[in-house]
Amino acid sequence: VFFWYVFFQEMEKLVACVQKRPDALCRLICFPWAGGGTLQLAQWSQCFNDSIEVFCIRFPGRETRLKEPFAKDMTSMANEVASVLLKELKEKPFAFFGHCFGSQLSFATALHLKEKYGLEPVHLFMSGASAPHSEGFLAIKSIPISDTKDEEIIAYIKTLGGTPSELLHNEDIRKQMVLTFKEDIRVLQTVSFEKAEMDPPFSCDITCFNGSDDKLGDVQAWQELTSGDTSFFELPGGHFYLLEPSNESFLTKHITRCIENAGL
């Protein structure tokens, strides 16, 4: 009984699930962006039919995990997701969707699951992100985050869009957002994935989405990471193109189609 209680607590802490669908054929695990919470992606469950159950991952240091220390590195975050969700992931097929920071965490989690447990998603959906072994991603590692002033971070958050301006006018919320964003960038800087001269780590299909105005480098490099098919879609908008209702509709319909075509 104690084990189940602890397990339930860990699940409740880590996962936001707005609509439980115990009979779903597949789970879509969503990983939010840097500085973000579960609010938007957890609501995606309303866009999917009964065959897909949506889990959204909640990172430490925000929402109901506000009192927890921020994660120190990507490996520990990937390990937490893998260990807490292991029973669920063994139970039925799953797919991952990540945006920006969430793409890197979903990739790290998928890699850990493959190497340690031989588990693989039926599909990886990457959004707004350069591949982790690419030049475009390596640029993130050179950001001197400790020396970056709060005002500069707020200005950057504004240029990205996706954050309601009234939130940025509240000093307490603004401070917390800057802190969370900085800590998430620090975690991103701990990613070290070297694409060795070996076979690609995955065999599932990968779909990459990004906004047409989002200047991303090396999106194409994702295709080096799977022996499956890789497809690329550019949708109108900037970094947070996915918050536009028309784009959200395209994404959720396309994800549904990919999962249904995976022959589960």
Side-chain angles (χ1 to χ4, degrees):
V1 174
F2 178 71
F3 166 78
W4 282 112
Y5 175 69
V6 171
F7 170 72
F8 179 74
Q9 276 198 314
E10 291 294 303
M11 276 289 285
E12 286 291 295
K13 186 173 83 168
L14 182 76
V15 172
C17 179
V18 175
Q19 284 176 308
K20 293 194 166 41
R21 291 179 173 147
D23 299 329
L25 295 176
C26 182
R27 284 198 183 89
L28 178 69
I29 319 286
C30 295
F31 296 78
W33 43 90
T38 58
L39 187 65
Q40 287 90 350
L41 295 180
Q43 298 300 329
W44 271 17
S45 59
Q46 296 159 13
C47 307
F48 289 102
N49 61 31
D50 287 346
S51 65
I52 297 170
E53 184 176 45
V54 177
F55 280 8
C56 188
I57 301 299
R58 187 181 289 113
F59 307 151
R62 68 213 76 193
E63 298 179 344
T64 53
R65 304 184 69 180
L66 193 61
K67 294 202 160 55
E68 287 181 50
F70 288 100
K72 288 286 170 266
D73 57 75
M74 193 62 90
T75 304
S76 61
M77 288 186 82
N79 289 358
E80 181 193 31
V81 176
S83 62
V84 173
L85 289 185
L86 189 60
K87 182 180 146 306
E88 264 68 19
L89 301 178
K90 281 179 170 173
E91 179 185 88
K92 66 173 71 171
F94 61 95
F96 283 174
F97 173 91
H99 180 70
C100 188
F101 177 96
S103 289
Q104 305 301 338
L105 177 56
S106 69
F107 178 79
T109 306
L111 204 58
H112 178 69
L113 287 164
K114 182 77 185 253
E115 288 171 352
K116 191 165 182 190
Y117 305 105
L119 287 171
E120 189 173 358
V122 294
H123 205 112
L124 283 168
F125 300 98
M126 302 303 187
S127 169
S130 304
H133 63 299
S134 67
E135 291 294 319
F137 180 75
L138 292 175
I140 293 170
K141 294 199 164 192
S142 58
I143 300 169
I145 198 70
S146 303
D147 305 331
T148 307
K149 293 188 173 66
D150 288 4
E151 296 76 49
E152 293 173 73
I153 291 193
I154 288 293
Y156 181 64
I157 289 172
K158 280 180 179 168
T159 62
L160 287 179
T163 305
S165 54
E166 59 270 21
L167 290 184
L168 295 171
H169 291 142
N170 179 311
E171 194 183 346
D172 290 341
I173 292 175
R174 197 168 63 232
K175 271 188 177 153
Q176 189 60 35
M177 273 172 86
V178 167
L179 174 66
T180 307
F181 190 80
K182 274 185 167 179
E183 292 294 336
D184 286 351
I185 298 298
R186 273 197 190 94
V187 167
L188 268 185
Q189 293 180 334
T190 68
V191 172
S192 60
F193 173 73
E194 303 291 329
K195 167 95 178 72
E197 293 305 311
M198 53 173 198
D199 294 334
F202 298 110
S203 59
C204 63
D205 292 350
I206 296 180
T207 303
C208 303
F209 304 103
N210 64 291
S212 52
D213 303 331
D214 195 9
K215 298 293 169 264
L216 278 178
D218 304 323
V219 174
Q220 296 291 327
W222 284 107
Q223 65 194 2
E224 296 161 21
L225 303 179
T226 186
S227 57
D229 293 336
T230 314
S231 35
F232 301 90
F233 293 91
E234 219 176 55
L235 296 168
H239 187 62
F240 282 106
Y241 75 92
L242 75 168
L243 299 179
E244 285 295 322
S246 57
N247 289 336
E248 182 181 73
S249 171
F250 177 89
L251 285 169
T252 51
K253 282 185 178 131
H254 188 78
I255 289 169
T256 300
R257 205 157 47 240
C258 290
I259 288 175
E260 285 175 350
N261 290 344
L264 308 180

